[in-house]
Amino acid sequence: MNTWDKVPGMVVHEREPYNAEPPGAALAGRPLTPVAAFYSRNHGPVPDLAPERWRLRVDGLVERPLELSLDDLRRCFGQTEVTATLQCAGNRRTGLAAVRDIPGEHPWGAGAVSTARWSGVRLAEVLAEAGPRPEAAHIAFSAPDVSEVAAPPETYGGSVPLDKARSPEVLLAHTMDGRPLPRVHGAPLRVVVPGWIGARSVKWLTRVTVSDRPSDNYFQATAYRMLPAGAEPGPGEGVPLGPLAVNCAVLTPGDGDRPPSGPVPVAGYALAGEGRTVARVEVSADGGESWTRAETDPAASPWAWQHWRTTVELPPGETELIARAYDSAGAAMPESPAAVWNPKGYANNSWSRVRVRCRG
Amino acid sequence: MNTWDKVPGMVVHEREPYNAEPPGAALAGRPLTPVAAFYSRNHGPVPDLAPERWRLRVDGLVERPLELSLDDLRRCFGQTEVTATLQCAGNRRTGLAAVRDIPGEHPWGAGAVSTARWSGVRLAEVLAEAGPRPEAAHIAFSAPDVSEVAAPPETYGGSVPLDKARSPEVLLAHTMDGRPLPRVHGAPLRVVVPGWIGARSVKWLTRVTVSDRPSDNYFQATAYRMLPAGAEPGPGEGVPLGPLAVNCAVLTPGDGDRPPSGPVPVAGYALAGEGRTVARVEVSADGGESWTRAETDPAASPWAWQHWRTTVELPPGETELIARAYDSAGAAMPESPAAVWNPKGYANNSWSRVRVRCRG
């Protein structure tokens, strides 16, 4: 095992703060990602919070501010489990960086996405207990991890609109795959916002604040926003990222692999946008001239990815494999990363491309 | 005035059943579409229902089947107004048909989309009154208009999942822009399912059936489904269309227009997917080499389109104007209609293209 009990094959983009993704083969074909392979995106040093002293404050525009211990959360509220995929806004950034340089951002491959069974309390129930006032419109999350990406350094935070916060899939999770949250994944409690960029699933949660506006935290007001090409990041610039769009990637074979020519199994994952399902996944080995439909596993939940697989006949020599998915709204993935390039390199959902060189 | 009190400029694809869309100029710049220009998609002859004798049955998996008159709906339930855009699944089909023929389907341009203020009762309230049983999972809508597209001919219907049916924006509407629904738009009562393909907003509604499965009506089980290229329509083939994806179109200038060269105003509409907003709209006059960001009006509601406008400098001669939009999930419109071509020609959201020839 490696840092933070991760598998040795993790692709570590940064040691401190720890930023790492699993290799494609560790994700392939598995509905649930082993915790030891689950990607980890951090903005500051990993906090070490003593569970027995930890408290969650619920404040802001509420009738009854709360202070809850872990025991309170486990005993006074219903416990719910949701299988949900988290995807970093920067997943597949390498595809964008190949179009034009994206300085200062990690070159995530297609592994900044993972799936777990999360258990905990519905955020809706905690909010109902606190009683949001009529002006309530956004729910902000605060954590104690300090990030030097913000200037001056700032603790991590973000917010989601009240409607999403009240949706039954949004959890305050203390458990991941049946065990207490590991420290690097947010112990003792994190938010899980299925269907939205991972950045809103705030780890090491200590405070939930009901507000009439979005959080002014750096990671809501400045970072994790979609900027038009040519714009500079700055408070309020661009549009805050929230829901995820349809996406997919080839996991195996990996880029640069050298399988024998002939029938080659190809496998990967696909995700649909919020409220949608994956309609189909297609694979091409001839630059998009012809497409083979992949077989798709059922999703473990409406909030989980789907794995897919097919077999393509490959000649000796170099071939580019392309995968693309469609969701139930008919939304397609754009062919070219140039069409979705943006200054911070978020939300790349252009066709997934992998080069292999088959042995003759 | 024309058939069904529509403006003379309507592009009529079929007289009986009546299928017509307004010219782009009738939609441009107007947050609300005049009722006389609102597109009309029909699958059979327009029913003529006497409001005083009309009743709505609510049945299926419910504790208390209901039979409601218009008066019951107006007096016993809260009245709500929602400004919502409806878009036909076939909107912009011409772009797909240019790639490969789509026989038997109307060649809709970019005008099969319109916006109105709808008033009526929340479907959620009527369902709550009837009391869905625990197995309830889908809500089916039935109407008396008979369609010969189905073989044998069948009355029109469809369904939405229970979660969507219970969403507060979904109405049983008796009023359109402050007046009783016109006959061609579903009098005396229709469903309005904002954010979903127009086909689910069933007109001339007479029955709401709570079920444990989707409707087996032809227009749910066979039509209005996304089929992979090469597949044949058939019951259960493909994926039922529901939520809409990000889309936009140039409305003015129109295709083939001959404006004077120099600064030319360009305007159109953009829609985001459900739960998303339009992040930006861009226009190119050089085949996608460079893009100008358009100014976007605020949306009248989370369920309404947004109009946009910009000015581009055009030389004498022929130019192709291209528009593309992005939503707040970072979802882009695909460049080429070939990538979204499907056998029934639904859900075209590839870049919008208009050819103009400027006078020197």
Side-chain angles (χ1 to χ4, degrees):
Chain A
M1 287 287 168
N2 208 323
T3 326
W4 299 113
D5 295 331
K6 291 291 172 186
V7 295
M10 292 295 277
V11 180
V12 179
H13 296 295
E14 194 176 12
R15 295 229 154 256
E16 182 71 35
Y18 181 65
N19 282 291
E21 66 183 301
L27 295 177
R30 291 175 151 156
L32 294 180
T33 312
V35 174
F38 204 103
Y39 85 95
S40 190
R41 170 78 179 104
N42 298 290
H43 301 81
V46 171
D48 189 4
L49 307 177
E52 60 287 355
R53 284 201 307 277
W54 173 94
R55 294 291 181 277
L56 178 67
R57 277 166 61 198
V58 183
D59 59 10
L61 299 172
V62 295
E63 299 300 337
R64 296 168 295 279
L66 309 174
E67 189 169 295
L68 301 167
S69 69
L70 267 188
D71 246 31
D72 294 335
L73 281 166
R74 286 176 173 279
R75 290 190 196 172
C76 310
F77 296 90
Q79 305 296 305
T80 306
E81 181 181 283
V82 175
T83 297
T85 299
L86 297 186
Q87 184 182 234
C88 181
N91 190 37
R92 305 187 57 219
R93 179 176 287 133
T94 44
L96 300 178
V99 174
R100 200 172 345 149
D101 202 24
I102 300 172
E105 299 290 336
H106 298 305
W108 295 99
V113 56
S114 300
T115 303
R117 286 187 299 119
W118 308 97
S119 314
V121 175
R122 288 199 172 113
L123 176 55
E125 292 193 26
V126 172
L127 290 174
E129 186 65 25
R133 297 213 197 119
E135 321 88 86
H138 294 267
I139 305 299
F141 308 121
S142 308
D145 50 321
V146 176
S147 176
E148 312 231 341
V149 173
E154 198 175 324
T155 53
Y156 189 81
S159 61
V160 298
L162 180 61
D163 278 357
K164 178 67 181 177
R166 278 177 167 156
S167 245
E169 72 279 6
V170 178
L171 296 189
L172 303 180
H174 46 62
T175 298
M176 185 177 181
D177 291 347
R179 296 194 174 185
L181 271 185
R183 195 177 138 203
V184 78
H185 290 295
L189 193 87
R190 71 176 300 172
V191 193
V192 174
V193 185
W196 283 43
I197 61 166
R200 308 303 176 221
S201 290
V202 175
K203 294 185 278 196
W204 313 292
L205 185 71
T206 52
R207 192 171 166 195
V208 171
T209 305
V210 179
S211 177
D212 59 355
R213 67 200 69 180
S215 166
D216 60 3
N217 184 280
Y218 174 84
F219 295 96
Q220 183 76 36
T222 302
Y224 293 117
R225 295 177 80 98
M226 181 60 77
L227 302 166
E232 287 293 319
E237 285 296 320
V239 173
L241 287 162
L244 298 169
V246 60
N247 209 345
C248 82
V250 176
L251 292 172
T252 55
D255 204 53
D257 278 5
R258 304 198 57 179
S261 61
V264 173
V266 183
Y269 63 79
L271 292 112
E274 190 178 29
R276 308 183 187 185
T277 56
V278 173
R280 68 185 192 276
V281 177
E282 298 173 343
V283 174
S284 175
D286 58 6
E289 279 299 301
S290 66
W291 297 86
T292 304
R293 190 161 174 195
E295 206 181 301
T296 313
D297 290 343
S301 91
W303 304 102
W305 62 10
Q306 290 171 254
H307 284 280
W308 53 264
R309 67 194 55 74
T310 188
T311 302
V312 291
E313 193 69 32
L314 296 187
E318 189 163 293
T319 303
E320 185 183 53
L321 292 170
I322 310 178
R324 65 181 186 186
Y326 294 81
D327 73 20
S328 53
M333 294 167 53
E335 177 172 346
S336 153
V340 286
W341 191 93
N342 60 91
K344 299 274 278 176
Y346 296 131
N348 180 19
N349 73 337
S350 61
W351 294 359
S352 171
R353 294 163 193 269
V354 160
R355 287 204 162 271
V356 297
R357 178 177 288 278
C358 288
R359 289 174 275 129
Chain B
M1 287 288 168
N2 208 323
T3 326
W4 300 111
D5 295 331
K6 292 290 174 186
V7 295
M10 293 295 278
V11 180
V12 179
H13 295 296
E14 193 176 14
R15 297 230 153 255
E16 181 73 34
Y18 182 66
N19 282 291
E21 66 183 301
L27 296 176
R30 291 174 151 156
L32 294 180
T33 311
V35 174
F38 204 104
Y39 85 94
S40 190
R41 170 78 178 104
N42 298 291
H43 301 79
V46 171
D48 188 4
L49 308 177
E52 61 286 355
R53 284 201 306 276
W54 173 94
R55 294 291 181 277
L56 178 68
R57 278 166 61 197
V58 183
D59 58 12
L61 299 172
V62 295
E63 300 300 337
R64 296 170 294 279
L66 308 175
E67 187 170 296
L68 300 167
S69 68
L70 267 188
D71 244 32
D72 294 335
L73 282 165
R74 287 176 172 278
R75 290 190 196 170
C76 309
F77 296 91
Q79 305 297 304
T80 305
E81 182 181 283
V82 175
T83 297
T85 299
L86 297 186
Q87 184 183 234
C88 180
N91 191 36
R92 302 187 59 218
R93 178 176 288 132
T94 44
L96 300 178
V99 174
R100 201 175 342 153
D101 201 24
I102 300 171
E105 299 289 337
H106 298 306
W108 295 98
V113 55
S114 300
T115 303
R117 288 187 297 118
W118 308 97
S119 314
V121 175
R122 288 197 172 115
L123 175 57
E125 293 193 26
V126 172
L127 290 174
E129 186 64 25
R133 297 212 197 120
E135 321 88 86
H138 294 267
I139 306 299
F141 308 122
S142 308
D145 50 322
V146 177
S147 176
E148 312 231 341
V149 173
E154 198 176 322
T155 54
Y156 190 82
S159 62
V160 298
L162 180 61
D163 278 357
K164 179 65 181 177
R166 278 177 166 155
S167 245
E169 73 279 6
V170 177
L171 295 189
L172 302 181
H174 46 62
T175 299
M176 184 177 182
D177 291 348
R179 298 195 174 182
L181 273 185
R183 196 178 136 202
V184 78
H185 290 296
L189 193 87
R190 71 176 299 172
V191 193
V192 173
V193 184
W196 283 44
I197 60 165
R200 307 304 176 219
S201 289
V202 175
K203 295 184 278 195
W204 313 291
L205 185 72
T206 52
R207 192 171 166 195
V208 171
T209 305
V210 179
S211 177
D212 59 355
R213 66 200 70 180
S215 165
D216 60 4
N217 184 279
Y218 174 84
F219 295 95
Q220 183 77 34
T222 302
Y224 293 117
R225 296 176 80 100
M226 179 61 77
L227 301 167
E232 287 293 319
E237 284 297 319
V239 173
L241 288 162
L244 298 169
V246 60
N247 209 343
C248 82
V250 177
L251 291 172
T252 55
D255 203 54
D257 278 5
R258 305 199 57 179
S261 61
V264 173
V266 182
Y269 64 79
L271 291 112
E274 191 178 30
R276 309 182 184 186
T277 56
V278 173
R280 67 185 193 278
V281 178
E282 298 173 343
V283 174
S284 175
D286 58 6
E289 278 299 300
S290 66
W291 297 86
T292 304
R293 190 160 174 195
E295 205 181 300
T296 312
D297 291 344
S301 92
W303 304 103
W305 62 10
Q306 291 172 255
H307 284 280
W308 54 264
R309 67 193 56 73
T310 188
T311 302
V312 291
E313 192 70 30
L314 297 187
E318 189 163 293
T319 302
E320 185 183 52
L321 293 169
I322 309 177
R324 64 182 186 186
Y326 295 81
D327 73 20
S328 53
M333 294 166 54
E335 178 173 344
S336 152
V340 286
W341 191 93
N342 60 91
K344 298 274 278 176
Y346 297 131
N348 180 19
N349 74 337
S350 61
W351 294 359
S352 171
R353 295 163 192 268
V354 160
R355 288 204 162 271
V356 296
R357 178 177 288 277
C358 289
R359 289 175 275 130

